[in-house]
Amino acid sequence: MRFRAAVLRSCESPFAVEDVVLNTAPAPGEILVEIVGSGMCRTDLAVRRSAGRTPLPAVLGHEGTGVVVAAGGGPDTAVGVGDHVVLSFDSCGDCLSCRGAAPAYCDSFASLNLFGGREEDTPRLTDAAGGAVASRWFGQSSFAEYALVPARNAVRVDTALPLELLGPLGCGALTGAGAVLNTFRAGPGDTLVVLGAGAVGLTAVMAATAAGVRSVAVDRHPGRLELAERFGAIPLPAATSGLAERIRRHTDGGAQYALDTTASAPLINDALRALRPTGTLGLVARLHTALPLEPGTLDRGRSIRHICEGDAVPELLIPRLIGLWQAGRFPFDQLIRTYPLADINEAERDCDAGRVIKPVLLPERRDR
Ligand SMILES: [Zn+2]
Ligand SMILES: [Zn+2]
């Protein structure tokens, strides 16, 4: 089967939208999905700095949505042909974390999602010249017209929903909202500070507002602070001194929760200083250097922890977020700008320059 896909050949090259060939039908437990939309997430772009650990050439994309066009069957295939699905991250289903309903902490998370995925004897996906193309990025590689994915990672949704917009629920929005609703379990009376008002930070703000949590958003970009304010946060510019003090002033003396999406050590220390006793800081951004903690920042019962994929079980959190969106309380679609898949490089440039919060790439519709 031949179709168009955006192939990344090296860390330096632009994406090339070209013909690829899928050499296999779905195996038991797998489905073939005709992609209708795929969000672009920071992790897709971070491959360029991954020091070669992610195999290239590859098709990236891990916020895909689409329609199931073939299914390989198997005992626990809950989705079938014609179903509309949101694709989320991959997990093994068998390790202690997966069996404990914590698939984001799957023992094989890094290998399955970031570093090449499940073993294959012959390449499933090849380019027009027959060269292997890695096709298991987050189990889905959805910057393409089709994706062959484990059915385990697909969440069935109502066919009446605007499927092309739902992709960010599979990673970015799942991460931001999940941190607030799952990890912190924040509720009315709680306070939250969010560092970085990108897709993850802004969906955290939306979830906080939906849950009755007062939030403060910190960012350098006035446009992003305006958005944060629209979604219910108190906006605070990052580039001024006394940040911790100003956060405390807006959170009755200290925030119960802080969510960092920036990996900036100075901001993280400010956030810790702004926490009330027993407050928790969650880290979602990958740290590239050691994190020096200033003395006293963890005193008085404060804690710091990493959060992966919003601690989500996608089959539980994605329908919940759709319900909040339908009720007008989780307007994640306002962060989206759509691009034809052919314009993926423009989407990346706009993302890097901060001109768009959440690009969603749409493959051309073709008559089948
Ligand atoms: Zn696992
Ligand atoms: Zn992501």
Side-chain angles (χ1 to χ4, degrees), residues 36 96 98 114 159 172 251 261 277-278 283 299 309 322 325 335 355:
V36 302
L96 273 181
C98 284
L114 303 169
T159 54
T251 54
T261 71
T278 76
L283 302 178
D299 289 0
E309 300 285 358
I322 289 172
W325 173 75
L335 306 179
R355 288 189 288 266

Side-chain angles (χ1 to χ4, degrees), residues 89-115:
F89 58 90
D90 202 3
S91 57
C92 79
D94 198 40
C95 70
L96 273 181
S97 295
C98 284
R99 280 185 275 152
Y105 304 100
C106 175
D107 289 357
S108 304
F109 185 91
S111 61
L112 286 178
N113 290 286
L114 303 169
F115 303 136

Side-chain angles (χ1 to χ4, degrees), residues 95-249:
C95 70
L96 273 181
S97 295
C98 284
R99 280 185 275 152
Y105 304 100
C106 175
D107 289 357
S108 304
F109 185 91
S111 61
L112 286 178
N113 290 286
L114 303 169
F115 303 136
R118 296 156 201 260
E119 295 285 317
E120 50 195 57
D121 300 330
T122 53
R124 298 196 310 174
L125 197 68
T126 47
D127 60 20
V133 177
S135 66
R136 294 180 189 263
W137 174 248
F138 280 80
Q140 55 177 284
S141 292
S142 50
F143 290 160
E145 290 177 323
Y146 291 88
L148 185 59
V149 303
R152 172 177 169 76
N153 312 343
V155 177
R156 185 169 44 183
V157 297
D158 192 322
T159 54
L161 293 166
L163 191 56
E164 71 280 6
L165 299 181
L166 301 184
L169 297 178
C171 184
L174 187 88
T175 299
V180 174
L181 302 175
N182 288 335
T183 313
F184 299 150
R185 297 187 180 279
D190 284 332
T191 49
L192 166 75
V193 56
V194 173
L195 306 176
V200 171
L202 288 171
T203 50
V205 165
M206 290 176 197
T209 303
V213 174
R214 177 136 49 103
S215 67
V216 174
V218 177
D219 202 290
R220 285 176 297 174
H221 299 284
R224 292 181 174 216
L225 287 178
E226 263 170 47
L227 279 173
E229 190 171 19
R230 188 204 299 175
F231 301 132
I234 297 162
L236 284 185
T240 48
S241 57
L243 181 61
E245 176 53 40
R246 284 183 305 129
I247 294 169
R248 279 201 299 271
R249 215 179 302 141

Side-chain angles (χ1 to χ4, degrees), residues 10 17 50 67 84 96 100 129 137 144-145 177 218 263 275 299 313 316 350 354 366:
S10 75
V17 179
S50 71
V67 180
H84 288 196
L96 273 181
W137 174 248
E145 290 177 323
V218 177
L275 285 178
D299 289 0
V313 174
L316 299 180
D350 286 352
R366 292 196 303 197

